[in-house]
Amino acid sequence: MARSKWLAGIILFVVSLAGAIALTHRLSPHALQSPDRRSLTTVAETYQAPNLQHNSYVDVDNGQPAAEDSFRVEFPTEYREEFMHYATVNCSNSRIVRQIYVNLSTVEAMQTSDTAPSGTVLVMETYATQPGRDDRLTPTQLNNVFVREKRDGWRVNDNSGEWRSAWYSPEGSLFSSSQSSCIGCHARVRDRDYLFTLPALLTATKTNQKQSQETEFGTSVCR
């Protein structure tokens, strides 16, 4: 009889201990976190991770770092003071205004040439807008800065010319130097040396007057 009571006491103790452990697990912070919240955190971390690599240069197609720093498209910090503001492009469909600058050595060279020389640097600012007078878009906020540079030997593939591009924040932090989307877009104007605003650039360099135009292709990735 005494032995039976002793065994019953041990069994009761084990059951109570197991119940206490199970209750502690259910009330832990990790257990209280919903599956949806854990999934959302994982997705957010996966999405944001590439954007943290502000200073990595990525080559086209393979997603690998470029082999040489000589392919870097640098951010010209003083472009507003040292470059010529040669064009304003209104993009009515996407409600974006683009302000485009070119380095002065190219301005001088293109006064007697219809082709941008090696060493050409173009800077394109993209602005959010609001409707202005006569249905014109009024820039309100600078969102991004795209830099496009031409160098001898910079050919990426048969659709790139000798141009490379980079996407920066207004403060000059690198967002991306992947060439794929830029090449795919600019290949549509290969007959203009891969420049959408080549006619405006030619006129501006010869007249010293900023040109205005509407975008020809609706929306694009450059926002």
Side-chain angles (χ1 to χ4, degrees), residues 114-167:
D114 291 341
T115 303
S118 176
T120 294
V121 181
L122 304 178
V123 177
M124 181 177 73
E125 302 174 329
T126 63
Y127 288 83
T129 66
Q130 63 183 15
R133 296 180 180 179
D134 301 324
D135 295 326
R136 303 292 290 179
L137 298 174
T138 300
T140 57
Q141 178 179 315
L142 176 60
N143 290 333
N144 300 290
V145 177
F146 297 88
V147 184
R148 190 159 169 81
E149 187 169 351
K150 184 180 184 181
R151 296 281 180 184
D152 291 337
W154 270 21
R155 184 177 297 275
V156 177
N157 59 35
D158 291 340
N159 294 316
S160 68
E162 292 190 305
W163 295 91
R164 287 180 179 255
S165 305
W167 169 23

Side-chain angles (χ1 to χ4, degrees), residues 69-89:
D69 287 345
S70 59
F71 290 142
R72 287 177 179 265
V73 178
E74 302 288 354
F75 184 85
T77 56
E78 305 297 327
Y79 68 88
R80 287 184 178 175
E81 292 76 23
E82 298 178 356
F83 285 23
M84 176 184 184
H85 183 188
Y86 76 89
T88 296
V89 180

